[in-house]
Amino acid sequence: MSSVPRPSRPSRPSRPSRRAVVLGAAGAGIAAALPATRAHATGGDGGVPVGTPPVLLTEQASRRLLVLDPGRRVWDPAADPSVVRWEFSPVGDPRYRDLLPDVSWVYPCEAKVRLHRRRAYVLTTASFGFVAVVHYPTGRRYWGTAIGPGDDLFNPHSAEILPDGNVAVACSTGARVRLYAASQGPRATRYAEAELKGAHGLHWDAARGVLRALGDDELVTYEVGGTAARPTLERTYAVGLPVGTPGKTPGGHDLFPVAGRPGRLWVTTNAAVFQYETKGRVFVRDYAGAAEISRKSVKAVGDDPRTGQVLTTVPEPGLGETWWTTTVSVHRPESAYKLVDGGIYKARWWLPV
């Protein structure tokens, strides 16, 4: 990796050695709910607001997804495993063996929880090719694929499940959006494809029945056609992203619904955090807390409609990779969570939708 990677990465992380790739395989294959705890915090340490939901992380240092106790401001799973509500890794799990997780599950970079036919699933991607829709809490595979496993030439960076059960994948380095016929089975391989430079984020807009995708320079709307077994993608509209620095690409990164304001989407770029009004087709920064929330290199953003809190992740210096952080920032009011020895990339409130 170059000494100054693109801020929106991990788009081209250096390939780890074979030893590094398999490091931690012992005890892997994890997809288990730990002993039941309360669904929401009730005012734990640090004045956590009542009703705060758990936090879902892509934890790259240990190559896991974690759902963590929102009532603790400091998470130290090694010292206190009870902070972990749920965790997942496909390494060593026979249900994912064909996806070659030893080499494809490197730098997990997306995790979001979705409801599909009244069941909760975690959608996840990793920079070296792994993509899956994982049933919660069993870890069972709804669908999965490996796109160029063992390298970041495609770099699947986000995924979204559609009402018919098909799954869209944004490949940032590969500059494309794919729509897989995942409804046809856990190993379905057929897909439709559209080019999108720097494809980073995806969101299914249920109100309008369209797929939205975020790239380096634009937010694109796709119409989904065909059949569930043979889907098609048609680009119907695009809007340019706000330019932070004249002459430089905006660098779209995270795309996520604003839970507290239907019809708006969170959009992060290299320079700032916006909300996009889907009806007016405009980017705004008129939301509460913008002065603290909107800043450079935000990798993930989301709000909790019950408490009004917003969480974000921003890289911090001095860690194993330049895009990692040990801190999940919380806004409205300002506070933070800390993961001991962590390498966090994205964080989401656990809000199945």
Side-chain angles (χ1 to χ4, degrees):
M1 171 172 288
S2 63
S3 58
V4 184
R6 297 180 189 174
S8 61
R9 297 279 208 194
S11 289
R12 283 193 181 273
S14 59
R15 186 186 302 211
S17 67
R18 183 72 177 178
R19 180 178 179 277
V21 167
V22 300
L23 188 64
I30 301 166
L34 294 184
T37 54
R38 281 185 227 189
H40 293 122
T42 56
D45 63 280
V48 177
V50 173
T52 298
V55 181
L56 170 64
L57 302 179
T58 57
E59 209 298 281
Q60 295 187 353
S62 59
R63 298 175 64 196
R64 295 181 293 172
L65 305 184
L66 296 174
V67 177
L68 295 168
D69 184 350
R72 314 280 191 90
R73 286 300 186 193
V74 177
W75 300 311
D76 189 349
D80 183 4
S82 70
V83 301
V84 180
R85 298 286 184 85
W86 182 79
E87 58 185 309
F88 171 78
S89 169
V91 178
D93 189 327
R95 297 171 294 187
Y96 298 92
R97 184 182 296 121
D98 60 306
L99 305 187
L100 307 176
D102 281 353
V103 296
S104 66
W105 180 250
V106 179
Y107 302 136
C109 54
E110 178 65 286
K112 57 173 112 170
V113 58
R114 293 288 185 262
L115 291 178
H116 177 63
R117 295 176 182 171
R118 299 184 179 181
R119 295 181 178 179
Y121 294 95
V122 176
L123 281 64
T124 188
T125 65
S127 292
F128 277 35
F130 187 95
V131 185
V133 179
V134 178
H135 179 257
Y136 172 85
T138 66
R140 179 179 56 82
R141 171 176 168 176
Y142 168 81
W143 173 82
T145 192
I147 306 176
D151 209 325
D152 69 332
L153 292 177
F154 288 91
N155 195 350
H157 206 276
S158 188
E160 184 65 286
I161 190 166
L162 276 58
D164 63 2
N166 287 345
V167 175
V169 181
C171 299
S172 60
T173 312
R176 65 196 68 193
V177 174
R178 286 183 174 179
L179 178 58
Y180 283 87
S183 59
Q184 304 306 297
R187 291 172 174 77
T189 58
R190 184 184 296 276
Y191 61 83
E193 185 174 88
E195 292 186 5
L196 179 60
K197 177 186 172 186
H200 263 73
L202 289 169
H203 171 65
W204 173 255
D205 188 333
R208 290 170 173 78
V210 295
L211 180 67
R212 301 190 190 272
L214 185 67
D216 276 347
D217 304 293
E218 56 189 352
L219 177 61
V220 180
T221 300
Y222 295 100
E223 292 283 351
V224 175
T227 65
R230 294 176 177 269
T232 62
L233 274 177
E234 180 185 358
R235 176 179 169 131
T236 58
Y237 180 76
V239 57
L241 300 181
V243 176
T245 303
K248 292 189 177 181
T249 181
H253 197 276
D254 197 27
L255 179 66
F256 211 70
V258 179
R261 294 191 68 172
R264 285 197 178 199
L265 302 174
W266 291 106
V267 174
T268 76
T269 69
N270 289 343
V273 178
F274 300 90
Q275 288 185 357
Y276 177 71
E277 288 188 339
T278 58
K279 184 177 180 180
R281 295 179 173 179
V282 293
F283 294 93
V284 298
R285 276 191 287 180
D286 63 355
Y287 54 87
E292 293 75 33
I293 296 166
S294 182
R295 57 207 196 282
K296 294 180 179 179
S297 303
V298 172
K299 301 303 183 184
V301 61
D303 62 302
D304 170 31
R306 180 174 177 180
T307 65
Q309 297 174 98
V310 176
L311 59 70
T312 58
T313 55
V314 175
E316 64 182 87
L319 300 180
E321 301 291 357
T322 57
W323 54 82
W324 285 1
T325 183
T326 61
T327 303
V328 177
S329 299
V330 181
H331 315 274
R332 307 186 63 227
E334 293 295 308
S335 57
Y337 292 105
K338 198 79 171 179
L339 179 64
V340 176
D341 296 326
I344 302 166
Y345 186 57
K346 286 182 180 175
R348 311 283 192 199
W349 295 123
W350 182 265
L351 295 172
V353 293

